[in-house]
């Protein structure tokens, strides 16, 4: 944490005294105990450094950790507002207030909406809309927009009409839409022709926020902005700092892959010199849309020989990647244990490891993995189901109530292990049914239950799997579909065919190479699974 460098004014001292008087043991933040927040707030108030090791950085990581807010976040709001009013780090306070108000991700214990806490402070903060420092005004206007209340509309209208800083006016336009200004469509249309590039870019963002249709007019406004990335970074929308890529992603997610490709192609035609941002947007389009991939293939081939286009070319791959060859289905319960994963132990040593209870304190994923692997190896060598049933049962009991996604993968591992047993997994029915509530473990649990001969609403599970296809382990989804296929109704089969044929990519986003090939192979495997007569 940064060193304190100044003494507080009387106003700041009064806020810090209130911070010290608050009972921080009643709330928690990202790292648990929130009794360290007074120190962080004091350091923020007394030190204007906002670098990564600053007090502000510590505070962000605790009460707005990767966008998640906590009970301590709501508790900190009035003190951050008080510090801003007292003149202590107002820009940092407003950025943090805005980020917390924006969050839709609340940790357990933070059910009281942090946005409401920010709204409660609006009256004493509105004067910052006319603060002499443009950076402070921008931060304040952004926070007002994230509060999403009609109380700020008059102040935001005044900023949009009169502020001398284009970036502040741009922020005001976005904020007006977030606060659902009745005249938002007219404001956006007027901003399309604004002389300031910042406001024109904001009008494109605002059009998406308002749900207005994408058309050639909006496309031309976007392409009229020179230095898109620089201007996008000047607005306080971290997820929109690469505007062309963001717009392409929004279009693809809305099912408009062809429009996204046409936007990229026109941007490429207009590019003067550096085309890297355009090729990156093209890569995003191909990772998101099958239609966009085919439309952008000539662009990829044109630039495959230079460094900017190599990533795009590797993402798309060859034309042959779009039509993968059929391959035999190897379901997860038929896959042999990996030689390096199965413990090289004797039978008795394996029995001891499988029977050893999981630790009472400090349970880790390797603890569960070792136990399950020992039991699975015993089953493979001896066909004795008892160690496997015992290991899965204990793992299920210990995983109960653990909500992190890390534990979801452990539930899936336990279910995958149980599926190897087939009918011998029947004693695990109760545990496996609890796993069905976890989307990560849904596929493996359904497979294990059907193979164990347990009753299952195949259509309900099948439709849930269709809704999340590609989000978790692909092999589990393919195995579950192959297992459930004979039990599905015609309507459920049709829904799966629609998923397999859809334009939006199921997998591949973020892969360094061959995203198209990975997605198309997954679709081919799903289609084979849907037509299979899988064993139970």
């Amino acid at each position: 944490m940064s060193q304190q460098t100044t003494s507080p004014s009387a106003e700041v001292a009064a806020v810090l005294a209130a911070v010290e008087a608050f009972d921080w043991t009643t709330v928690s933040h990202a790292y648990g105990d929130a009794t360290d927040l007074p120190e962080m707030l004091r350091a923020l108030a007394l030190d204007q450094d906002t670098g990564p090791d600053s007090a502000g950085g510590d505070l962000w990581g605790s009460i707005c950790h990767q966008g998640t807010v906590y009970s301590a976040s709501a508790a900190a709001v009035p003190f951050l507002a008080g510090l801003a009013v007292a003149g202590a780090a107002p820009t940092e306070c407003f950025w943090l207030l805005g980020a917390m108000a924006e969050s839709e991700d609340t940790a357990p214990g933070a059910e009281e909406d942090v946005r409401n806490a920010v709204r409660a402070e609006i009256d004493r903060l509105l004067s910052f809309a006319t603060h002499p420092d443009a950076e402070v005004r921008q931060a304040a206007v952004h926070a007002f927009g994230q509060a999403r209340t009609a109380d700020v509309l008059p102040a935001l209208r005044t900023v949009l009409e009169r502020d001398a800083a284009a970036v502040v006016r741009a922020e005001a336009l976005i904020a007006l839409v977030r606060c659902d200004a009745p005249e938002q469509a007219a404001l956006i249309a007027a901003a399309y022709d604004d002389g300031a590039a910042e406001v024109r870019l904001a009008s494109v963002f605002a059009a998406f926020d308002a749900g207005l249709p994408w058309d050639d007019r909006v496309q031309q406004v976007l392409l009229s902005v020179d230095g898109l990335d620089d201007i996008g970074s000047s607005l306080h929308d971290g997820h929109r700092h690469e505007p062309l890529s963001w717009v392409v992603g929004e279009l693809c997610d809305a099912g408009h892959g062809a429009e996204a490709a046409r936007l990229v192609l026109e941007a490429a035609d207009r590019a003067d010199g550096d085309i890297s941002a355009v090729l990156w947007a093209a890569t995003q389009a191909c990772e998101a849309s099958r239609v966009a991939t085919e439309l952008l293939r000539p662009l990829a081939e044109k630039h495959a020989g230079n460094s900017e286009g190599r990533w795009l070319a590797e993402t798309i791959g060859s034309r042959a990647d779009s039509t993968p060859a059929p391959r035999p289905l190897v379901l997860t319960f038929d896959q042999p244990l990996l030689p390096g994963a199965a413990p090289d132990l004797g039978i008795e040593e394996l029995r001891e490891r499988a029977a050893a209870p999981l630790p009472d304190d400090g349970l880790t994923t390797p603890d569960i993995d070792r136990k399950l692997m020992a039991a699975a190896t015993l089953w493979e060598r001896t066909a004795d189901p008892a160690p496997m049933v015992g290991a899965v049962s204990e793992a299920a009991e210990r995983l109960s109530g653990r909500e992190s996604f890390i534990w979801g993968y452990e539930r899936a591992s336990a279910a995958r292990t149980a599926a190897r047993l087939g009918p011998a997994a029947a004693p695990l029915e109760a545990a496996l049914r609890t796993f069905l509530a976890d989307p990560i473990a849904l596929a493996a649990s359904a497979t294990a239950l059907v193979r164990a001969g347990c009753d299952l609403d195949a259509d309900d599970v099948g439709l849930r799997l269709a809704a999340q296809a590609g989000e978790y382990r692909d092999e589990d989804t393919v195995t579950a579909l192959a297992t459930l296929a004979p039990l599905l109704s015609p309507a459920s089969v049709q829904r799966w065919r629609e998923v397999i044929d859809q334009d939006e990519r199921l997998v591949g986003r973020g892969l360094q190479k061959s995203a198209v090939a990975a997605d198309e192979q997954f679709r081919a495997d799903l289609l084979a699974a849907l037509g299979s007569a899988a064993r139970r």
Side-chain angles (χ1 to χ4, degrees):
M1 188 174 290
S2 302
Q3 297 296 313
Q4 299 175 4
T5 59
T6 61
S7 297
S9 66
E11 293 82 0
V12 172
V15 176
L16 294 178
V19 169
E20 294 291 344
F22 184 81
D23 184 3
W24 294 99
T25 64
T26 62
V27 294
S28 61
H29 57 48
Y31 302 102
D33 183 2
T35 55
D36 55 356
L37 276 186
E39 180 185 0
M40 294 184 203
L41 288 164
R42 173 174 288 275
L44 175 65
L46 303 182
D47 188 346
Q48 301 304 309
D49 178 16
T50 57
D53 298 323
S54 70
D58 292 332
L59 201 55
W60 275 86
S62 296
I63 61 176
C64 193
H65 185 73
Q66 297 179 353
T68 303
V69 292
Y70 306 82
S71 54
S73 309
V77 165
F79 302 119
L80 288 168
L83 289 175
V85 170
T91 302
E92 189 77 12
C93 289
F94 275 115
W95 285 144
L96 190 46
L97 289 169
M100 291 195 299
E102 178 183 12
S103 177
E104 302 289 349
D105 184 7
T106 58
E111 284 76 14
E112 181 178 350
D113 188 2
V114 175
R115 189 176 297 155
N116 285 334
V118 175
R119 287 171 176 163
E121 302 297 327
I122 288 295
D123 284 348
R124 63 169 169 162
L125 297 177
L126 276 176
S127 62
F128 281 90
T130 56
H131 193 278
D133 187 328
E135 187 176 358
V136 174
R137 294 200 305 278
Q138 183 187 2
V141 166
H142 174 77
F144 297 162
Q146 296 296 359
R148 306 183 189 217
T149 171
D151 294 342
V152 300
L153 289 176
L156 292 176
R157 292 186 182 109
T158 299
V159 171
L160 180 61
E161 292 171 5
R162 303 179 185 175
D163 202 284
V167 71
V168 180
R169 292 176 53 231
E171 207 77 61
L173 176 61
I174 295 170
L176 281 161
V177 174
R178 285 187 175 134
C179 295
D180 200 23
E183 74 278 26
Q184 57 188 269
L187 293 174
I188 293 168
Y192 287 158
D193 298 315
D194 198 279
E198 293 89 343
V199 178
R200 294 200 306 278
L201 178 57
S203 74
V204 175
F205 290 163
F208 277 95
D209 293 345
L212 300 180
W214 175 264
D215 56 25
D216 186 66
R217 173 67 172 132
V218 185
Q219 179 162 312
Q220 298 311 313
V221 171
L222 178 65
L223 295 177
S224 76
V225 178
D226 292 327
L228 269 175
D229 287 357
D230 289 340
I231 294 176
S233 297
S234 72
L235 297 171
H236 196 66
D237 274 295
H239 59 293
R240 301 199 278 208
H241 64 280
E242 295 177 329
L244 182 61
S245 290
W246 181 82
V247 169
V248 162
E250 291 295 299
L251 290 173
C252 290
D253 288 345
H256 303 309
E259 287 84 347
R262 283 192 282 271
L263 168 62
V264 169
L265 291 171
E266 184 171 354
D269 287 341
R270 291 191 181 197
D272 183 14
D274 184 10
I275 198 173
S276 56
V278 176
L279 295 176
W280 175 242
T283 301
Q284 306 303 297
C286 294
E287 288 185 350
S289 164
R290 302 170 88 190
V291 168
T293 298
E294 296 312 311
L295 291 173
L296 293 172
R297 193 177 291 281
L299 182 68
E301 293 169 349
K302 177 180 178 180
H303 294 279
N306 59 49
S307 58
E308 292 89 353
R310 192 166 298 123
W311 191 303
L312 174 60
E314 290 174 345
T315 297
I316 290 183
S318 67
R319 292 182 184 273
D321 290 335
S322 298
T323 53
R327 63 182 184 181
L329 284 178
V330 181
L331 306 183
T332 55
F333 50 77
D334 279 340
Q335 295 175 5
L337 299 176
L338 296 175
D344 186 16
L345 301 173
I347 296 298
E348 291 308 314
E349 291 173 301
L350 286 170
R351 289 190 187 280
E352 289 178 7
R353 179 175 290 190
L358 292 168
D360 292 329
D361 297 315
L363 180 67
T364 66
T365 57
D367 292 331
I368 298 174
D369 291 340
R370 280 192 294 270
K371 188 178 188 72
L372 292 174
M373 184 56 69
T377 305
L378 272 173
W379 164 253
E380 192 171 76
R381 293 187 191 175
T382 69
D384 179 6
M388 189 105 88
V389 170
V392 173
S393 180
E394 184 183 1
E397 181 180 352
R398 297 301 305 278
L399 288 167
S400 177
R402 296 177 185 263
E403 300 303 325
S404 167
F405 74 92
I406 295 173
W407 302 113
Y409 285 107
E410 288 304 307
R411 278 186 276 272
S413 180
R416 202 177 301 119
T417 302
R420 292 178 176 273
L421 289 173
L428 295 168
E429 178 178 358
L432 292 169
R433 288 194 185 280
T434 65
F435 288 174
L436 290 174
D438 188 325
I440 301 175
L442 175 63
S445 304
T447 298
L449 284 164
V450 173
R451 281 178 52 77
C454 303
D455 290 335
L456 188 71
D457 186 339
D459 283 328
D460 175 70
V461 172
L463 292 174
R464 288 170 60 194
L465 285 172
Q468 64 180 47
E471 292 185 28
Y472 304 111
R473 181 167 162 160
D474 296 345
E475 288 179 320
D476 283 349
T477 303
V478 170
T479 296
L481 182 57
T483 306
L484 291 168
L487 309 176
L488 295 177
S489 67
S492 293
V493 170
Q494 178 58 31
R495 176 60 191 135
W496 266 105
R497 292 191 182 279
E498 292 169 357
V499 168
I500 294 168
D501 291 339
Q502 71 183 35
D503 176 60
E504 183 181 356
R505 295 260 177 230
L506 299 174
V507 297
R509 292 198 186 194
L511 295 179
Q512 292 189 6
K513 294 183 179 181
S514 304
V516 168
D519 179 74
E520 295 299 338
Q521 186 63 65
F522 181 48
R523 292 169 191 266
D525 290 344
L526 289 174
L527 190 60
L530 192 62
S532 72
R535 294 151 295 164
R536 299 192 191 181

